[in-house]
């Protein structure tokens, strides 16, 4: 079902919903998933992002997103200066990400607390995005829903623990996927929900044995 | 209800004794699970963002490529000093379309309607009319809901992006939305609104997307002008009682078909039309130079990059 505010909107800083607004959203998503103020970022542009990125301000938009700016923030064109002020050191170059969507970017991030994140995402048009890879695991989610990202060891019962917790919190699951790098390795659960997951429940899930990390991405209206 | 057929929305409106825009509003309430007040408030924010974008335009900025900037200001100065051929109102419409397209190219805040590249069409017809006729805000919001509904039907049946269907899908759709909004503001019938949409879309059918250097600048900014002026012509024709011989849903379907059959060179790839003229190619060369380096990325490279932040190329 088409949201009429995707037709009459979004309100955004130009020039391109895919190359600018979508790029800001990818940056913001990466910041949320890192869960910290990024201090180092290596940004690798692929395909059309690499070809026409400078003219579309894709580079500035990605950095703006990493700094937490929204797609309609008039400071997006000044994001490089903002990054210097706020202590984010970054590099931007071009890369050939095999079989990736033309508007793709791969980023390696380090947070203030030394947390790390590797993310590959693409901008699919109209400001919509898709996260394709997280810390080496293939995933697929858009940020159009509240999203719970659970990393755990490949143990029996972890999935049931998480879904039980969601059920207790009366959170309805819209989509979910289970992705693992290898058998017995680390697993990533991506759970898209209609309702936001309460903070206490996120904490509780994180305390379960075998669960390594839980990140909650709240949908932006 | 699903916003997938102009005919069906009109039928539902008749059945429920409501206006077209109310059906669109109620669909939004249902779809997003929000109240009538919330839906109206969000549309009001969009309308204010459009007006603010118009007010903040100075004409001083230049795009990253340097191809675009100052044209809206030039048009306003010309209109103030000389007698524009199309009269003062059309001159204002042209100036507003250029200003908004430029603002988008210069990384200012705009409303994508339906896309960023076509962001100048709706405000170019709505803002001058709003000032000239002193229209109450609630009427403007009704017109915006009308336009959104039209855009939603086009997005469902055909497409609204240059990559999917060429410029006809972006500027053409924006023009159709604007034409419908104008008929609503002039209190035309729902049938007249549909004829205006059909005529606006027909007149721009086949328009290719051929952006120089792949940027939303040339010819995009000026194409907003033709979208806006075409919307006014289509709305005036419909209000005069002139009808589209092909029904609106069929016109939308035809636009979608033309879009799908448009060679990929003419769908935002910058591989055809104006993009590959000698001058277009030269702009691309100029944008591409500047020491770009390309390589295949490995995880090891990425890690190494992180250890060497002093290489920041800000």
């Amino acid at each position: 079902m088409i949201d009429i505010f995707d037709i009459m909107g979004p309100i955004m800083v130009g020039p391109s919903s895919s190359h600018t607004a979508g790029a800001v959203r990818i940056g913001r998503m990466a910041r949320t998933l890192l869960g910290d103020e990024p201090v180092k970022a290596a940004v690798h542009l692929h395909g059309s992002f690499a070809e026409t990125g400078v003219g579309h301000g894709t580079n500035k938009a990605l950095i703006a997103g990493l700094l937490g700016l929204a797609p309609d923030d008039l400071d997006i064109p000044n994001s490089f200066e903002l990054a210097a002020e706020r202590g984010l050191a970054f590099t931007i170059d071009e890369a050939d990400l095999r079989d990736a969507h033309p508007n793709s970017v791969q980023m390696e991030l380090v947070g203030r607390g030394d947390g790390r994140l590797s993310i590959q995402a693409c901008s699919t048009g109209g400001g919509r995005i898709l996260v394709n890879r997280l810390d080496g695991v293939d995933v697929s989610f858009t940020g159009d829903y509240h999203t719970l990202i659970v990393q755990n060891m490949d143990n029996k019962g972890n999935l049931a623990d998480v879904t039980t917790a969601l059920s207790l919190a009366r959170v309805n699951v819209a989509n979910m996927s289970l992705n693992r790098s290898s058998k017995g390795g680390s697993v990533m659960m991506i759970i898209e929900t209609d309702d936001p997951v309460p903070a206490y429940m996120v904490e509780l899930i994180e305390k379960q044995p075998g669960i390594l990390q839980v990140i909650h991405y709240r949908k932006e209206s | 209800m699903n916003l997938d057929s102009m005919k069906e929305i009109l039928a539902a409106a008749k059945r429920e004794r409501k206006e077209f825009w109310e059906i669109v509003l109620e669909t939004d309430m249902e779809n997003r699970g929000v109240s009538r007040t919330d839906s109206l408030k969000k549309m009001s924010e969009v309308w204010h963002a459009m007006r603010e974008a118009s007010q903040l335009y100075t004409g001083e900025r230049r795009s990253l490529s340097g191809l675009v900037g100052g044209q809206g200001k030039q048009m306003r100065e010309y209109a103030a000093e000389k007698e524009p051929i199309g009269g003062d109102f059309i001159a204002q419409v042209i100036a507003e379309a250029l200003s908004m397209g430029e603002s988008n190219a210069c990384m200012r805040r705009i409303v994508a309607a339906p896309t960023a590249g076509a962001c100048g069409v709706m405000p170019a017809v709505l803002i001058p009319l709003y000032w000239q006729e002193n229209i109450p805000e609630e009427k403007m919001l009704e017109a915006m809901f009308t336009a959104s509904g039209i855009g939603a039907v086009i997005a469902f049946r055909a497409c609204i992006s240059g990559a999917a269907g060429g410029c006809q899908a972006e500027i053409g759709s924006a023009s159709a939305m604007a034409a419908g909004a104008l008929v609503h503001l002039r209190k035309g019938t729902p049938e007249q609104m549909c004829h205006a949409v059909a005529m606006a879309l027909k007149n721009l059918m086949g328009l290719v997307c051929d952006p120089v250097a792949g940027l939303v600048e040339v010819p995009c900014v000026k194409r907003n002008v033709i979208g806006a002026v075409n919307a006014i012509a289509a709305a005036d024709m419909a209000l005069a009682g002139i009808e589209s011989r092909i029904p609106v849903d069929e016109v939308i379907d035809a636009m979608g078909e033309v879009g799908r059959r448009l060679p990929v060179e003419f769908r935002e790839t910058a591989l055809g039309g104006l993009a590959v003229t000698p001058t277009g190619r030269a702009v691309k060369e100029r944008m591409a130079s500047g020491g770009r380096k390309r390589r295949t990325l490995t995880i090891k490279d990425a890690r190494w990059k992180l250890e060497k932040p002093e290489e920041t190329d800000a």
Side-chain angles (χ1 to χ4, degrees):
Chain A
M1 184 70 206
I2 295 159
D3 181 344
I4 61 161
F5 291 102
D6 282 341
I7 303 289
M8 197 61 75
I11 300 168
M12 55 169 272
V13 163
S16 162
S17 55
S18 56
H19 286 63
T20 321
V24 177
R25 288 197 61 211
I26 289 175
R28 278 172 76 85
M29 171 63 85
R31 177 190 174 88
T32 306
L33 299 182
L34 180 66
D36 193 6
E37 186 75 34
V39 292
K40 285 185 203 173
V43 177
H44 314 289
L45 303 173
H46 166 86
S48 177
F49 266 16
E51 292 293 332
T52 66
V54 171
H56 282 126
T58 306
N59 43 9
K60 293 179 177 176
L62 285 164
I63 299 301
L66 288 175
L67 293 169
L69 271 57
D72 68 342
D73 196 313
L74 284 171
D75 264 336
I76 291 168
N78 313 320
S79 67
F80 287 3
E81 291 78 13
L82 272 178
E85 279 169 32
R86 287 169 50 180
L88 167 62
F90 62 90
T91 59
I92 299 176
D93 62 14
E94 298 176 17
D96 185 7
L97 306 170
R98 260 175 292 166
D99 300 326
H101 183 283
N103 300 334
S104 285
V105 59
Q106 150 110 36
M107 293 189 280
E108 315 291 331
L109 306 175
V110 179
R112 183 154 290 160
D114 211 35
R116 282 164 191 252
L117 179 81
S118 163
I119 179 173
Q120 184 183 319
C122 62
S123 177
T124 56
R128 298 171 53 110
I129 64 168
L130 184 68
V131 179
N132 306 104
R133 224 168 142 79
L134 268 186
D135 291 333
V137 180
D138 287 331
V139 295
S140 177
F141 62 97
T142 59
D144 291 342
Y145 294 87
H146 303 291
T147 309
L148 197 67
I149 297 125
V150 181
Q151 269 181 287
N152 58 292
M153 297 310 293
D154 195 8
N155 292 340
K156 286 168 188 152
N158 278 159
L159 180 61
D161 290 344
V162 174
T163 51
T164 306
L166 293 177
S167 161
L168 287 172
R170 310 291 302 154
V171 170
N172 190 46
V173 173
N175 306 299
M176 79 178 283
S177 67
L178 204 56
N179 318 272
R180 68 178 182 187
S181 49
S182 62
K183 192 175 178 193
S186 78
V187 177
M188 209 168 289
M189 286 180 221
I190 307 292
I191 305 172
E192 297 182 311
T193 61
D194 291 329
D195 323 279
V197 182
Y200 74 89
M201 204 43 102
V202 175
E203 248 175 70
L204 188 69
I205 294 171
E206 202 160 25
K207 282 182 191 147
Q208 300 308 305
I211 305 267
L212 302 173
Q213 195 190 8
V214 183
I215 301 162
H216 188 225
Y217 172 83
R218 275 175 174 265
K219 173 178 83 166
E220 300 182 331
S221 60
Chain B
M1 74 178 291
N2 289 335
L3 302 175
D4 53 16
S5 148
M6 293 295 287
K7 192 177 161 192
E8 281 170 27
I9 302 174
L10 242 60
K14 280 228 160 68
R15 205 165 51 234
E16 297 173 32
R17 296 176 190 279
K18 285 175 183 152
E19 292 196 58
F20 181 91
W21 71 269
E22 285 180 289
I23 301 286
V24 180
L25 169 82
E26 283 169 12
T27 304
D28 178 52
M29 290 163 57
E30 190 186 301
N31 192 20
R32 293 191 302 124
V34 297
S35 69
R36 188 181 176 91
T37 316
D38 286 342
S39 183
L40 283 164
K41 187 165 160 267
K42 187 152 184 188
M43 194 58 88
S44 167
E45 284 167 13
V46 175
W47 167 236
H48 282 273
M50 258 185 201
R51 283 180 49 199
E52 190 188 58
S54 165
Q55 281 158 4
L56 290 177
Y57 173 80
T58 61
E60 304 304 319
R61 289 171 188 276
R62 297 295 176 269
S63 65
L64 289 169
S65 73
L67 292 175
V68 160
Q71 287 80 24
K73 190 179 171 205
Q74 263 178 296
M75 189 66 204
R76 280 199 182 87
E77 286 167 358
Y78 161 73
E81 290 159 16
K82 306 268 172 61
E83 270 182 43
I85 302 163
D88 194 46
F89 184 75
I90 293 291
Q92 284 181 54
V93 168
I94 296 172
E96 193 63 58
L98 290 170
S99 306
M100 206 60 81
E102 272 176 48
S103 294
N104 179 56
C106 299
M107 297 192 82
R108 301 293 290 166
R109 188 191 288 138
I110 51 90
V111 176
T115 59
C119 71
V121 176
M122 285 288 299
V125 303
L126 291 184
I127 293 174
L129 198 71
Y130 171 75
W131 291 119
Q132 177 176 292
E133 306 196 349
N134 210 1
I135 303 169
E137 173 159 328
E138 65 204 63
K139 273 278 155 203
M140 298 309 298
L141 299 189
E142 291 176 16
M144 303 266 288
F145 275 105
T146 303
S148 312
I150 295 162
V153 174
I154 298 175
F156 177 83
R157 301 182 79 96
C159 51
I160 56 165
S161 76
C167 192
Q168 56 159 11
E170 292 209 24
I171 293 291
S173 300
S175 191
M177 289 159 62
L182 286 173
V183 170
H184 177 79
L185 288 173
R186 282 300 184 90
K187 301 184 177 61
T189 65
E191 288 74 19
Q192 285 174 332
M193 190 266 282
C194 285
H195 287 305
V197 171
M199 288 189 280
L201 211 51
K202 286 197 295 186
N203 292 354
L204 293 174
M205 196 174 288
L207 194 61
V208 301
C209 179
D210 51 352
V212 168
L215 304 175
V216 196
E217 301 188 13
V218 177
C220 321
V221 172
K222 291 169 193 134
R223 292 242 175 102
N224 278 276
V225 174
I226 194 57
V229 174
N230 178 54
I232 292 170
D236 266 338
M237 282 194 281
L239 290 163
I242 299 168
E243 297 185 347
S244 169
R245 298 302 182 201
I246 310 292
V248 61
D249 286 325
E250 292 181 31
V251 171
I252 296 171
D253 292 344
M255 187 276 272
E257 192 219 340
V258 170
R260 283 188 295 277
R261 294 174 63 172
L262 217 52
V264 72
E265 286 81 0
F266 301 121
R267 286 190 271 123
E268 214 182 309
T269 51
L271 296 172
L274 296 170
V276 296
T277 55
T279 305
R281 287 179 197 274
V283 173
K284 191 184 173 193
E285 288 284 305
R286 184 160 56 77
M287 288 300 291
S289 60
R292 296 196 335 184
K293 43 194 188 297
R294 173 180 291 277
R295 59 198 176 75
T296 300
L297 179 78
T298 65
I299 293 293
K300 212 172 128 197
D301 285 339
R303 289 275 141 75
W304 179 80
K305 273 273 179 198
L306 284 178
E307 306 311 321
K308 298 230 171 192
E310 69 273 15
E311 286 202 2
T312 299
D313 49 12

